[in-house]
Amino acid sequence: MNISRRSRTALIRATDNWLSRVYLAAVTAATGYFLFDALFVDHPDASMAAVVPWLLTAPLSLLYTLLPDGTLSGTSTGLFTALYLAGIAFAALANAAFMGHVVRRLRQPFPGTAPCA
């Protein structure tokens, strides 16, 4: 099994059921709101719009909190935003693939049960 086949299988599991699709749509909407807020809205104070996608993609996105202080402080704002969005996208796809795997396993009949007529 090569890498492209594994990644294709993971993407299929992440998008082949309604639960994963709704989850990915919610993460996409929250991320879109964050980008709109960051680009077009002036705030006298800090905005909390970036927290919503971060919390929606937990527990994988919480790995950002393990980074030492100042790790990303030298990066430009655009690079920091790109790293943040890449992490959110990876965490969302991993969570959606996990949800797809759980849904697929729940659809299978339990071993030792007779099929219904």
Side-chain angles (χ1 to χ4, degrees), residues 11-83:
L11 284 176
I12 287 171
R13 284 193 180 164
T15 58
D16 72 342
N17 60 68
W18 64 270
L19 180 65
S20 296
R21 289 180 189 152
V22 169
Y23 171 73
L24 288 173
V27 171
T28 303
T31 306
Y33 176 73
F34 155 66
L35 287 174
F36 176 81
D37 186 62
L39 293 174
F40 299 114
V41 179
D42 259 349
H43 294 284
D45 214 356
S47 174
M48 297 293 288
V51 174
V52 177
W54 183 67
L55 289 176
L56 279 175
T57 56
L60 285 178
S61 64
L62 297 179
L63 293 175
Y64 276 126
T65 60
L66 297 177
L67 291 174
D69 288 341
T71 301
L72 298 175
S73 63
T75 60
S76 67
T77 305
L79 181 61
F80 180 74
T81 304
L83 288 173

Side-chain angles (χ1 to χ4, degrees), residues 69-116:
D69 288 341
T71 301
L72 298 175
S73 63
T75 60
S76 67
T77 305
L79 181 61
F80 180 74
T81 304
L83 288 173
Y84 175 78
L85 291 176
I88 292 297
F90 174 74
L93 283 174
N95 288 343
F98 177 73
M99 287 179 199
H101 179 71
V102 169
V103 167
R104 186 176 298 230
R105 294 289 292 184
L106 288 175
R107 285 183 186 163
Q108 293 176 352
F110 291 109
T113 58
C116 296

